[in-house]
Amino acid sequence: MLKWALIFALVALVAGALGFGGIAGAAAGVAKILFFLFLIGFVIFLVLGVMAGKKITGG
């Protein structure tokens, strides 16, 4: 998901540099949504990993 967020961010930068404002805004919006979804998923899996690690080690 982070890969797609970076791709859309790059598309937004290129489209903005070439003067395509609508496309750049839409691509930037999609990139922002995908990045925040990635961030939420990362935090959830990080917490689950820490909790599973504590169960395995008995801490």
Side-chain angles (χ1 to χ4, degrees):
M1 195 175 321
L2 182 60
K3 176 182 158 185
W4 283 105
L6 292 174
I7 290 171
F8 275 106
L10 183 63
V11 168
L13 287 173
V14 171
L18 295 176
F20 299 107
I23 295 171
V30 171
K32 192 185 303 184
I33 291 169
L34 287 175
F35 177 74
F36 284 117
L37 285 175
F38 163 78
L39 200 60
I40 290 168
F42 175 75
V43 169
I44 288 172
F45 281 111
L46 185 68
V47 168
L48 288 174
V50 168
M51 290 171 63
K54 285 184 180 180
K55 274 194 170 186
I56 291 172
T57 60

